[in-house]
Amino acid sequence: MKPLIAGNWKMNGSLAANEALVKAMLDGLGSQTPGADMALCVPAPYLAQLQSLVSGSAISLGAQDVSAHEQGAFTGEVSATMLKDFACRYVIVGHSERRQYQGETDLLVADKAKAALAQGITPIVCVGETLAERDAGQTEAVVKRQLAAVIHAVAHCTSEIVVAYEPVWAIGTGKTASPEQAQQVHAVLRAQLAAATQHPERVHILYGGSMNAANAASLLAQPDIDGGLIGGASLKSADFLQIVASAL
Ligand code: PEP
């Protein structure tokens, strides 16, 4: 299984900046086939632009959120069918920023994962503990609870999800989980997947949280770390490509 390196641009970008960034990434890749699958999860208004920029390239398109509903009176929401119209292959669900600022619950995140799968879009399900939870020794319980909600909702489709372990205290802070700390949690998640699907090894478990060009190789060398979800460093072409190269 090839590793997956997915960028999360968060609420950053402009038509001009996106074009320059993606062109720099594609120039950097040249004609080589990267050793990792690559994706960029971009703000919804830029999906059409990105669809055209990455068309025919090694980079897949992803969104950062999806509605749990199929259609209707849900002002401001974007459905999985709409994402499919722009050839989205991935969508992030349950990012800690949405759990924190939009009050998204485990149940809602699970419904979003289900809605994405129903349209053939792979949900990148984010789980992770806060610093207070880690300090209280609750890391395992928290990530297992978050993943259990999704497994319960998607049932026999569990092997089709991507999981991203993102300790909240490491996101955008410059503090990275050590490779050992991350591997320990990834192993717990793999065991949980093993109880739910016959092919737990087919599920990418990504690490996210201040992963960068300097620390990517040691994190990606861990047996249960199958790629990365990259925030800040995905806004710099050289750094993102360096992370992709580290996944070889
Ligand atoms: C993220 O937003 O998913 C993330 C991991 O951010 P950063 O890499 O900037 O910590």
Side-chain angles (χ1 to χ4, degrees):
M1 184 173 72
K2 257 189 174 186
L4 170 63
I5 304 294
N8 172 18
W9 283 1
K10 314 197 191 202
M11 198 173 70
N12 293 291
S14 67
L15 288 172
N18 302 345
E19 183 168 350
L21 179 55
V22 175
K23 285 197 166 152
M25 286 181 186
L26 295 176
D27 282 353
L29 278 176
S31 56
Q32 58 175 315
T33 306
D37 289 331
M38 296 171 68
L40 291 174
C41 300
V42 307
Y46 297 128
L47 287 172
Q49 182 198 19
L50 264 287
Q51 182 187 16
S52 136
L53 283 172
V54 304
S55 155
S57 80
I59 302 178
S60 298
L61 187 54
Q64 297 177 6
D65 185 34
V66 65
S67 175
H69 303 283
E70 279 178 34
Q71 62 166 34
F74 300 102
T75 302
E77 296 244 64
V78 174
S79 72
T81 332
M82 293 172 187
L83 297 184
K84 211 168 167 214
D85 267 346
F86 296 97
C88 275
R89 176 154 177 208
Y90 299 99
V91 62
I92 297 171
V93 297
H95 191 282
S96 62
E97 286 152 14
R98 295 201 61 84
R99 291 182 191 260
Q100 189 180 346
Y101 306 136
Q102 267 72 36
E104 292 197 2
T105 61
D106 294 341
L107 215 58
L108 178 61
V109 172
D111 284 344
K112 288 182 173 200
K114 199 173 168 184
L117 284 169
Q119 293 304 321
I121 299 171
T122 302
I124 300 177
V125 177
C126 298
V127 300
E129 82 288 1
T130 62
L131 189 55
E133 289 164 339
R134 173 163 282 265
D135 288 346
Q138 295 168 347
T139 298
E140 246 189 65
V142 169
V143 298
K144 282 170 91 170
R145 188 201 72 222
Q146 292 171 332
L147 182 57
V150 174
I151 290 174
H152 184 258
V154 307
H156 65 278
C157 294
T158 296
S159 63
E160 290 163 42
I161 68 172
V162 168
V163 179
Y165 169 55
E166 299 208 307
V168 179
W169 47 272
I171 296 179
T173 58
K175 286 184 199 147
T176 318
S178 69
E180 296 72 27
Q181 278 175 322
Q183 166 57 30
Q184 205 177 359
V185 179
H186 281 233
V188 166
L189 295 170
R190 183 85 65 201
Q192 191 177 1
L193 290 165
T197 168
Q198 280 187 312
H199 296 289
E201 75 286 355
R202 287 190 196 159
V203 180
H204 283 92
I205 309 179
L206 314 182
Y207 169 78
S210 299
M211 193 189 267
N212 57 39
N215 61 27
S218 57
L219 286 158
L220 295 168
Q222 298 299 312
D224 288 303
I225 300 186
D226 310 311
L229 182 54
I230 320 296
S234 70
L235 295 168
K236 297 174 198 145
S237 61
D239 291 30
F240 192 63
L241 291 178
Q242 180 63 48
I243 295 171
V244 171
S246 307
L248 282 177

